[in-house]
């Protein structure tokens, strides 16, 4: 058993700077770093000497850790847990919340919204097609995703832009709490406003009618299965967790297809789209790393990690591990082994992957039915997102030239 080496003490090849998870240049294209880490130093320390971050890069180590919720907690600090936030809870709270949440966020509730989602996609893609192209992240993927989540939740789409602004402010607020910024609690107004709004929607909803998530949550609250805070907090987290991630996946698909016209053509064949989406989440996952906190001393890849440490699990690196995926740097939409870590692993595995896949599938179906060609349009810069909220990686803006069928 050894101590994990510090990133800055390692003998990195000349073309790579020492790995730092907060370095935005590395975040934009981290795959060469990930490959070197998997080969040479599967557990390293980075960050401040007095409070190191342990970075884990191999598939088996990442997924074994995600499956071990006893030794690896998802609760950063007990005093700042927001009720109903599944992502930041441990069993037994997590088990109870997740069971009720799964009842509310059911495939039936999502399926009920499918026709509306397809219409929203057509409405938003048609103007881009008519104009011969445009910027497709801020003016297509992001507003589409927000209206889809609002529709599935059962919240008026007209309110979704405000909800998006609240979630941006809440992410900043939660980040400040986690970093221990003393003035953080003064910045909770967006969280209060969003919870108050969701509670007002709960009060108005007819729980006997319709299969929306909000109606289901209001029913669970009225039955006493969830507290009022938990029900509102869960709805709030669904909105936050599903928006940026799905926007980035949509952008990654469009970006990739615009420079791989042969793969775009191949999606016109039946049953090709679901496998394309799964491979995209493996190959270019919107979330690159997950965080856990050790509840006791643990050993990963022969390195000891003390209790109370913060462990960063590089799921995007796990997805390129050659011991798990053959020729991992090749995008292969016919790949047989699809059990990647892009939606997480273990008890916290993404509850919304169904919705994300449905939305992107419907979007790609609309494209192949209406669009002859997609190409990069240099008039709009292709800008990467830097330091996204959930360790997210993807595009902030992307210009495309398109032609109709
Ligand atoms: C491409 C889109 C998406 C990606 C890549 C993604 C990724 C992930 C990942 C990696 C986790 C695990 C977090 C952890 O273990 O700490 C997660 C959890 C979660 N996701 Fe997603 N997600 C996506 C879409 C969505 C959508 C659309 C929703 C809901 C509207 C959603 C809701 C959640 C929730 C509530 C959790 C927490 C589950 C738990 O802690 O038990 N996600 N997601």
């Amino acid at each position: 058993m050894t101590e994990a080496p510090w990133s800055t003490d390692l003998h990195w090849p000349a073309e790579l700077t020492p790995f730092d998870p907060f370095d935005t240049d590395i975040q934009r294209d981290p795959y060469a770093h990930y490959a070197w880490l998997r080969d040479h130093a599967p557990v390293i320390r980075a960050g401040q000497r007095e409070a190191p971050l342990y970075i884990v890069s191999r598939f088996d180590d990442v997924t074994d850790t995600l499956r071990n919720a006893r030794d690896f907690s998802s609760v950063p600090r007990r005093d700042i847990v927001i009720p109903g936030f599944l992502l930041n809870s441990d069993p037994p709270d997590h088990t109870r919340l997740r069971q009720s949440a799964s009842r509310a966020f059911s495939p039936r509730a999502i399926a009920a919204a499918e026709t509306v989602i397809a219409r929203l996609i057509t409405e938003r893609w048609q103007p881009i097609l008519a104009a011969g192209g445009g910027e497709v992240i801020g003016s297509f993927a992001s507003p589409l995703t927000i209206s889809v989540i609002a529709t599935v939740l059962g919240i008026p789409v007209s309110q979704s832009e405000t909800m998006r602004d609240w979630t941006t402010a809440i992410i900043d607020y939660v980040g400040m709490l986690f970093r221990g910024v003393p003035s953080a609690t003064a910045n909770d107004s967006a969280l209060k406003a969003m919870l108050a709004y969701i509670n007002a929607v709960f009060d108005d909803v007819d729980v006997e009618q319709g299969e929306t998530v909000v109606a289901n949550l209001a029913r669970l609250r009225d039955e006493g299965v969830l507290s009022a805070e938990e029900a509102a907090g869960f709805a709030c987290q669904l909105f936050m967790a599903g928006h940026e991630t799905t926007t980035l996946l949509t952008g990654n698909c469009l970006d990739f297809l615009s420079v791989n016209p042969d793969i775009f053509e191949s999606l016109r064949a039946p049953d090709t789209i679901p496998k394309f989406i799964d491979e995209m989440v493996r190959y270019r996952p919107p979330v690159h790393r997950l965080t856990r906190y050790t509840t006791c001393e643990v050993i990963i890849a022969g390195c000891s990690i003390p209790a109370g440490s913060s462990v960063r699990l590089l799921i995007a690196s796990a997805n390129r591990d050659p011991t798990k995926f053959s020729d991992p740097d090749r995008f292969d939409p016919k790949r047989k082994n699809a059990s990647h870590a892009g939606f997480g692993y273990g008890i916290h595995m993404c509850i919304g992957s169904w919705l994300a896949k449905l939305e992107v599938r419907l979007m790609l179906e609309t494209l192949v039915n209406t669009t002859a060609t997609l190409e990069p349009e240099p008039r709009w810069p292709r800008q990467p997102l830097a330091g996204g909220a959930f360790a997210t990686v993807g595009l902030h803006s992307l210009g495309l030239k398109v032609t109709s069928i």
Side-chain angles (χ1 to χ4, degrees):
M1 198 173 32
T2 58
E3 281 213 298
W6 282 94
S7 178
T8 43
D9 293 344
L10 287 164
H11 298 291
W12 289 90
E15 67 279 13
L16 297 179
T17 52
F19 184 74
D20 170 355
F22 300 110
D23 181 323
T24 46
D25 286 335
I26 296 178
Q27 278 178 11
R28 282 176 194 150
D29 187 8
Y31 288 103
H33 280 88
Y34 292 168
W36 195 87
L37 285 171
R38 286 191 309 267
D39 284 348
H40 298 91
V43 181
I44 60 164
R45 279 179 286 176
Q48 297 163 346
R49 295 262 157 180
E50 58 286 6
L53 305 173
Y54 287 81
I55 316 268
V56 180
S57 49
R58 286 184 183 162
F59 184 90
D60 285 345
D61 295 331
V62 166
T63 52
D64 285 352
T65 302
L66 290 173
R67 275 194 285 253
N68 181 353
R70 190 197 58 190
D71 299 344
F72 297 92
S73 165
S74 290
V75 181
R77 274 179 30 209
R78 299 259 157 219
D79 54 324
I80 55 172
V81 167
I82 300 171
F85 270 48
L86 280 180
L87 268 172
N88 302 123
S89 64
D90 285 338
D93 283 347
H94 176 267
T95 318
R96 180 181 58 83
L97 281 172
R98 174 117 185 176
Q99 273 164 2
S100 339
S102 307
R103 275 172 65 194
F105 195 62
S106 63
R108 244 177 92 196
I110 298 174
E114 183 167 336
T115 318
V116 185
I117 298 175
R119 182 174 51 73
L120 288 169
I121 292 168
T122 307
E123 279 172 11
R124 293 198 178 268
W125 187 246
Q126 274 307 331
I128 290 176
L129 208 51
E135 195 288 312
V136 291
I137 307 291
S139 61
F140 174 68
S142 175
L144 172 66
T145 309
I146 299 168
S147 14
V148 167
I149 293 185
T151 303
V152 172
L153 288 180
I155 284 170
V157 169
S158 58
Q159 188 64 21
S160 55
E161 302 279 329
T162 311
M163 299 266 292
R164 194 220 20 226
D165 294 344
W166 282 333
T167 59
T168 310
I170 294 169
I171 288 164
D172 286 347
Y173 162 66
V174 173
M176 279 195 246
L177 283 180
F178 286 0
R179 291 194 305 277
V181 175
S183 58
T185 43
N187 293 293
D188 65 352
S189 52
L191 178 64
K192 283 187 176 149
M194 186 148 168
L195 293 175
Y197 176 73
I198 290 170
N199 274 315
V201 176
F202 281 165
D203 289 338
D204 282 348
V205 82
D206 179 353
V207 292
E208 300 306 322
Q209 268 188 11
E211 177 80 29
T212 63
V213 178
V214 161
N216 290 345
L217 284 171
R219 201 176 304 120
L220 290 166
R221 179 195 69 169
D222 294 348
E223 289 166 4
V225 178
L226 290 175
S227 70
E229 291 79 20
E230 287 170 343
F234 178 62
C236 178
Q237 184 172 68
L238 279 181
F239 201 90
M240 289 169 61
H243 162 226
E244 189 183 22
T245 48
T246 313
T247 300
L248 294 177
L249 178 60
T250 307
N252 288 350
C253 290
L254 293 172
D255 184 39
F256 182 86
L257 292 172
S258 72
V259 290
N260 290 281
D262 48 331
I263 297 190
F264 183 47
E265 276 310 308
S266 77
L267 296 185
R268 299 189 199 277
D271 301 328
T272 46
I273 291 177
K275 290 203 106 197
F276 168 84
I277 297 170
D278 249 322
E279 177 68 349
M280 186 57 75
V281 181
R282 180 195 74 82
Y283 184 77
R284 276 175 67 173
V287 180
H288 270 227
R289 61 170 192 266
L290 301 175
T291 303
R292 296 292 188 268
Y293 307 89
T294 52
T295 58
C296 55
E297 188 189 0
V298 294
I299 295 170
I300 302 180
C303 297
S304 78
I305 303 181
S309 302
S310 176
V311 182
R312 303 287 150 113
L313 302 157
L314 301 179
I315 54 176
S317 167
N319 281 359
R320 299 282 187 107
D321 189 330
T323 66
K324 177 74 179 174
F325 304 100
S326 61
D327 201 359
D329 294 326
R330 191 166 70 89
F331 184 89
D332 176 6
K334 296 199 172 118
R335 192 175 286 280
K336 296 246 174 348
N337 178 0
S339 67
H340 57 73
F343 285 114
Y345 241 79
I347 63 166
H348 289 278
M349 188 159 179
C350 182
I351 206 171
S353 57
W354 279 90
L355 174 59
K357 288 185 197 179
L358 172 72
E359 185 177 336
V360 178
R361 174 173 66 73
L362 294 173
M363 188 271 297
L364 292 172
E365 281 172 7
T366 302
L367 254 67
V368 297
N369 288 329
T370 59
T371 309
T373 57
L374 292 175
E375 280 173 56
E377 165 54 90
R379 266 187 300 154
W380 287 277
R382 181 185 176 281
Q383 282 178 332
L385 181 85
F390 293 105
T392 40
V393 175
L395 294 177
H396 176 68
S397 70
L398 171 71
L400 289 186
K401 226 188 298 182
V402 298
T403 56
S404 308
I405 282 179

